[in-house]
């Protein structure tokens, strides 16, 4: 933990499940949201923004259940500046030991133009809605959306109104990732100096990464007096994403000499939650991403390796263990037993039940038969894979013929609701032929938004992880799979995404992961 005595405490507000999940294609299932919320709570996040309750029945249920199950973290829901949103949000967060309502309105000239409110009308709306929220819960956060492009005098005026109406946290969003570190610091400093009542509330910073400055802008705001950072795991979020939790937390830990701030985060849990968020959102982490990228602790070049062997500090400013990467870890092999697998999973941060272990062990043995050494990354890939025996579509077998002589041909056998179906298709390469055969078995109009292949480890016998994202009528579903055969992994990822699409479509209306309302719609 980074909690050093006598250091100013910076609150970590995680919005992976709201601003992160709102990113197109990053939709998570109900159970995945509960899992991520639990991991965030266990890691020591102070406030979890669990969703936007008015957006859909599914969002409401998720926020409510996260609130019901919360342990230490404060649970927050988002609400636009109207009484209906706020009432729904209060209903969703109320059962948390520490509930918070986060209400907002766009205050910059561009944002004011959308609801067509005059400055005075908007000021009245802010007073009315924050007062209403404060009558429902003790802890209210208010945000002037697009604050960094709002006129200075007006920004001060509306913040003062929100504080007088009972807001306990004032969040300053850089909604479009426009600000720069010096400006971010100046804005917070001047607001704290100028706005009456500023000393009685916590100022928060909420940065987007459009110009790649979100982490720097957030830290600059902290140095200027903000005491809450809003961020997401892996920097997930729309466009270029939000401030990455792992970056700000590790920056304050590693450079505590110049940024003497404490957080409640157990940094050893970072890597595991990063992997889980990547898996459930379908947004893989870029290899050279700070802190959690595959290469973040890899020292490839001869000079670096030589230096590392002599003294790790030559090129290493933090230890892999500090973020939950086990330093040197022995690979498993085909003689490894169930206990060794469980032990490895625990070291990697997974806690799984006996049934899941049973299923995983079978797949681990299959992999170990094909591959001499099974590395940590292979195990993580296995954890991302695996359908359910109740899935509508199951892959039974497949055979692909491809090469230089003509189109590839795939023969795919699948079980569709218990019935065996086989189809053959030709295509432009083995993956195209395979997907076409699957489409013959399960005709669908889903548009392939993303098809991504990564090698899990080195060598030609490495597993490939494949991610597939499909979109049909506004519903998005992702599938992931890993296999030493790239085409088999592709087929399984595609079938996984189709299965999820089927489930999502059948739930539309009752629980809909699709939202009719976006937090950007203004009322
Ligand atoms: O970026 C933004 O302005 C937001 C608000 C809803 C706080 O996410
Ligand atoms: Zn945002």
């Amino acid at each position: 933990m980074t909690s050093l005595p006598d250091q100013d405490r910076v609150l970590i507000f995680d919005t992976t499940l709201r601003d992160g999940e709102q990113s197109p294609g990053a939709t998570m299932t109900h159970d995945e949201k509960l899992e991520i919320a639990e991991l965030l709570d266990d890691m020591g996040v102070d406030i979890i923004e669990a969703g936007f309750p008015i957006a859909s029945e599914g969002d409401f249920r998720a926020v409510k259940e996260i609130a019901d199950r919360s342990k230490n973290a404060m649970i927050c829901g988002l609400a636009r500046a109207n009484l209906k949103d706020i009432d729904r949000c209060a209903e969703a967060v109320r059962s948390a030991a520490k509930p918070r309502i986060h209400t907002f309105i766009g205050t910059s000239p561009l944002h004011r133009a959308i609801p067509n409110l005059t400055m005075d009308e908007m000021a009245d709306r802010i007073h009315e809605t924050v007062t209403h929220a404060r009558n429902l819960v003790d802890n209210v956060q208010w945000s002037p959306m697009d604050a960094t492009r709002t006129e200075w005098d007006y920004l001060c005026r509306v913040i003062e109104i929100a504080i007088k109406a009972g807001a306990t946290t004032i969040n300053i969003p850089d909604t479009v990732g426009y600000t720069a570190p010096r400006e971010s610091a100046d804005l917070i400093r001047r607001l704290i100096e100028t706005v009456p009542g500023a000393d009685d509330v916590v100022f928060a910073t909420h940065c987007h990464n459009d110009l790649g400055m979100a982490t720097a802008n957030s830290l600059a705001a902290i140095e200027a007096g903000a005491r809450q950072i809003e961020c997401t795991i892996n920097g997930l979020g729309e466009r270029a994403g939000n401030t990455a939790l792992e970056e700000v937390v590790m920056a304050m830990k590693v450079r505590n000499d110049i940024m003497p701030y404490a957080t409640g985060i157990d940094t050893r849990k970072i890597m595991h939650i990063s992997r889980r968020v990547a898996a459930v959102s379908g947004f893989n982490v870029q290899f050279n991403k700070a802190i959690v990228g595959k290469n973040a602790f890899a020292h490839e070049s001869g000079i670096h390796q030589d230096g590392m062997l002599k003294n790790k500090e030559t090129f290493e400013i933090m230890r892999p263990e500090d973020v939950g990467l086990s330093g040197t870890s022995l690979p498993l092999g085909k003689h490894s037993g169930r206990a060794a697998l469980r032990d490895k999973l625990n070291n990697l941060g997974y806690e799984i039940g006996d049934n899941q272990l049973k299923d995983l062990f079978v797949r681990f043995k299959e992999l170990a038969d094909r591959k001499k050494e099974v590395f940590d990354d292979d195990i993580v890939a296995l954890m991302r894979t695996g359908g359910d025996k109740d899935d509508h579509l199951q892959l039974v077998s497949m055979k692909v013929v491809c090469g230089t002589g003509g189109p590839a041909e795939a023969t795919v056998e699948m079980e569709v609701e218990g019935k065996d179906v086989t189809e053959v298709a030709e295509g432009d390469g083995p993956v195209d032929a395979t997907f076409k055969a699957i489409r013959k078995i399960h005709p669908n109009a889903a548009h392939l938004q993303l098809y991504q292949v990564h090698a899990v480890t080195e060598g030609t016998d490495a597993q490939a992880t494949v991610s597939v994202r499909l979109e049909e009528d506004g519903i998005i579903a992702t599938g992931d799979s890993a296999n030493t055969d790239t085409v088999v992994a592709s087929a399984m990822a595609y079938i996984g995404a189709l299965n999820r699409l089927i489930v999502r479509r059948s739930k539309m209306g009752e629980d809909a992961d699709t939202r009719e309302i976006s937090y950007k719609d203004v009322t």
Side-chain angles (χ1 to χ4, degrees):
M1 288 234 242
T2 329
S3 308
L4 301 174
D6 306 328
Q7 294 208 334
D8 265 9
R9 181 76 154 72
V10 169
L11 299 171
I12 298 297
F13 176 109
D14 182 278
T15 183
T16 305
L17 296 172
R18 198 277 299 170
D19 221 355
E21 208 252 353
Q22 198 100 23
S23 157
T27 37
M28 300 175 199
T29 65
H30 183 77
D31 288 348
E32 288 165 351
K33 288 180 193 171
L34 298 186
E35 180 201 339
I36 299 299
E38 190 175 349
L39 292 175
L40 290 169
D41 204 340
D42 288 346
M43 185 170 68
V45 159
D46 298 286
I47 305 115
I48 298 173
E49 189 164 47
F52 179 28
I54 195 86
S56 70
E57 260 314 298
D59 273 55
F60 177 83
R61 265 201 319 120
V63 178
K64 169 112 188 50
E65 210 166 323
I66 290 170
D68 290 346
R69 294 169 172 220
S70 59
K71 296 175 223 159
N72 302 311
M74 177 174 283
I75 305 301
C76 173
L78 184 72
R80 293 168 298 178
N82 69 68
L83 306 189
K84 203 167 150 223
D85 271 41
I86 292 171
D87 286 343
R88 191 75 173 142
C89 183
E91 214 182 317
V93 296
R94 190 167 286 133
S95 59
K98 294 181 258 177
R100 173 182 289 189
I101 293 175
H102 175 193
T103 180
F104 74 100
I105 195 160
T107 50
S108 66
L110 282 166
H111 282 268
R112 284 199 308 267
I114 303 171
N116 202 11
L117 293 177
T118 64
M119 283 178 157
D120 287 345
E121 283 165 349
M122 184 169 279
D124 288 347
R125 174 86 76 94
I126 293 164
H127 182 264
E128 181 197 16
T129 49
V130 174
T131 307
H132 184 68
R134 190 54 209 271
N135 283 335
L136 297 171
V137 295
D138 286 340
N139 201 299
V140 173
Q141 170 167 325
W142 181 73
S143 297
M145 186 161 76
D146 207 14
T148 51
R149 294 191 300 169
T150 300
E151 304 92 323
W152 167 252
D153 287 347
Y154 191 58
L155 187 62
C156 290
R157 176 178 166 201
V158 288
I159 291 176
E160 184 180 349
I161 290 172
I163 295 175
K164 285 209 173 108
T168 45
T169 297
I170 299 293
N171 177 39
I172 304 299
D174 181 31
T175 305
V176 289
Y178 180 70
T179 198
R182 192 158 5 116
E183 194 181 56
S184 170
D186 283 350
L187 180 61
I188 295 286
R189 188 175 299 112
R190 287 173 64 212
L191 285 172
I192 293 175
E193 281 166 9
T194 313
V195 178
D199 289 342
D200 304 328
V201 298
V202 172
F203 270 77
T205 174
H206 176 112
C207 299
H208 282 265
N209 203 28
D210 298 66
L211 292 172
M213 293 192 279
T215 294
N217 290 338
S218 303
L219 294 170
I222 294 302
E223 294 197 276
R227 284 295 172 266
Q228 176 178 299
I229 298 182
E230 307 212 354
C231 46
T232 59
I233 301 293
N234 300 339
L236 191 68
E238 263 178 286
R239 307 186 309 277
N242 290 64
T243 301
L245 178 146
E246 63 278 7
E247 293 179 13
V248 285
V249 168
M250 288 311 289
M252 289 187 284
K253 184 179 168 93
V254 174
R255 294 311 313 273
N256 202 256
D257 53 332
I258 54 168
M259 291 181 279
Y261 309 108
T263 73
I265 301 293
D266 179 349
T267 62
R268 292 163 309 174
K269 302 207 161 151
I270 284 178
M271 209 57 220
H272 178 62
I273 193 164
S274 160
R275 287 174 176 144
R276 289 304 297 144
V277 168
V280 302
S281 67
F283 276 66
N284 285 319
V285 174
Q286 81 198 47
F287 281 14
N288 58 340
K289 162 86 180 62
I291 319 293
V292 291
K294 194 170 153 60
N295 290 355
F297 292 91
H299 300 272
E300 290 274 354
S301 89
I303 301 173
H304 284 209
Q305 282 185 352
D306 185 50
M308 287 291 289
L309 288 173
K310 290 185 177 130
N311 179 358
K312 283 195 171 179
E313 284 179 21
T314 327
F315 288 105
E316 207 167 76
I317 58 166
M318 55 197 153
R319 295 175 314 158
E321 303 88 277
D322 294 341
V323 298
L325 267 177
S326 41
T328 45
S329 133
L330 292 177
L332 298 180
K334 65 176 175 188
H335 299 299
S336 307
R338 230 172 262 248
L341 179 61
R342 190 188 277 284
D343 191 51
K344 175 70 80 185
L345 286 165
N346 289 345
N347 285 339
L348 289 169
Y350 295 97
E351 276 168 37
I352 65 170
D354 290 344
N355 282 345
Q356 207 187 343
L357 181 68
K358 211 167 134 196
D359 163 65
L360 193 75
F361 190 64
V362 173
R363 293 191 288 122
F364 160 72
K365 281 287 179 188
E366 280 166 13
L367 178 64
D369 274 341
R370 277 180 276 135
K371 213 170 169 280
K372 215 168 122 233
E373 293 178 310
V374 179
F375 298 99
D376 288 5
D377 285 343
D378 287 316
I379 305 284
V380 171
L382 275 186
M383 284 298 291
R384 283 182 68 156
T385 316
D388 194 314
K389 61 177 177 1
D390 298 328
D391 280 346
H392 185 88
L393 309 168
Q394 311 265 356
L395 178 67
V396 178
S397 70
M398 58 182 283
K399 192 150 199 75
V400 180
V401 182
C402 65
T404 51
E409 187 186 90
T411 308
V412 178
E413 182 189 357
M414 283 169 58
E415 205 181 285
V416 184
E417 285 189 321
K419 249 184 72 196
D420 218 63
V421 192
T422 301
E423 283 291 353
V424 183
E426 284 190 348
D428 190 4
V431 175
D432 187 47
T434 304
F435 283 20
K436 279 184 176 145
I438 295 171
R439 265 201 303 277
K440 276 187 172 177
I441 296 172
H442 176 71
N444 67 85
H447 165 66
L448 182 68
Q449 276 195 341
L450 175 95
Y451 169 73
Q452 216 172 50
V453 184
H454 284 305
V456 175
T457 54
E458 270 120 59
T460 48
D461 69 342
Q463 288 198 91
T465 47
V466 177
S467 307
V468 164
R469 190 189 309 142
L470 300 176
E471 185 271 334
E472 195 176 26
D473 300 331
I475 309 174
I476 292 173
T478 55
D480 266 302
S481 193
N483 198 288
T484 47
D485 184 321
T486 309
V487 188
V488 173
S490 302
M492 286 174 12
Y494 185 48
I495 293 170
L498 286 173
N499 278 322
R500 282 183 138 203
L501 209 52
I502 294 167
V503 173
R504 288 202 173 155
R505 208 206 318 266
S506 73
K507 284 193 174 167
M508 260 182 87
E510 70 176 86
D511 146 345
D513 283 323
T514 48
R515 305 182 172 90
E516 299 87 55
I517 298 173
S518 147
Y519 75 90
K520 290 189 198 121
D521 298 332
V522 185
T523 50

